[in-house]
Amino acid sequence: MKEIVDRPVETSVDRTKARWVVGVYREFGRPKTTVPALYYFALGRKVVDYPICGGFVGEIRAMRRYHESDCPKLEKWVERAKLFGHLREDVILEGLVGEFIPPEAEAETEIEKPDRPRIELWLTRPALAPLVLPICQKKGVALVSVEEKPTAEVIERLIARPSSSASRT
């Protein structure tokens, strides 16, 4: 990849693939989405419009349906579409991994709120976290987002949370 000051140069292949991503996004019709959602939507399309670019500048050798084997490149073309201004930065949500515990939930003790259980929502799909986090924050629910499987450290913090709130009483 050619780069000028840590920014890739927009080649004709980049432009072609980025425009394809923008077309699929518009056809999807959602104001915001994730790369996995865009991927599954593209897989379900019957349109033969995915460009296969050749070695010459601007050469499009063929068009075909989007295929599973194209998945690893989709994130790259989405990033390029955003980088080169073909797609707004905020329309593709980035996955969030981490623990998002409201400050009031961390501060309260079981004695202060005995009738209200503390709720935690655990997600194994970080791509969904940006959609769920605002609702969790509004409702005072803790969100723990992990990639596929929780790590030992996350489980240890889960176990330590009730004992640390009980020790503050």
Side-chain angles (χ1 to χ4, degrees), residues 99 120-124 142-146 150 154-155 158 161:
E99 299 173 59
E120 289 191 9
L121 176 64
W122 283 58
L123 292 177
T124 57
L143 173 65
V144 180
S145 177
V146 296
V154 172
I155 300 292
L158 168 68
R161 274 196 283 274

Side-chain angles (χ1 to χ4, degrees), residues 71-112:
C71 175
K73 295 286 187 176
L74 182 60
E75 193 166 333
K76 171 186 173 181
W77 299 127
V78 166
E79 288 305 314
R80 293 285 171 87
K82 291 191 300 188
L83 181 68
F84 298 132
H86 301 296
L87 199 60
R88 283 193 350 253
E89 285 285 330
D90 64 337
V91 298
I92 304 293
L93 302 170
E94 300 293 326
L96 296 174
V97 175
E99 299 173 59
F100 305 93
I101 300 170
E104 62 275 2
E106 282 184 335
E108 69 187 28
T109 63
E110 292 176 15
I111 292 175
E112 294 168 347

Side-chain angles (χ1 to χ4, degrees), residues 3 6 16 20 35 47 50 53 68 70 73 76 85 87 109 113 132 136-137 139 141 152 157 162:
E3 294 185 11
D6 298 329
T16 302
W20 178 84
V35 172
V47 181
Y50 186 70
C53 299
E68 289 176 14
D70 302 316
K73 295 286 187 176
K76 171 186 173 181
L87 199 60
T109 63
K113 302 279 186 182
V132 176
C136 288
Q137 290 171 334
K139 300 291 184 180
V141 173
R157 286 195 297 274

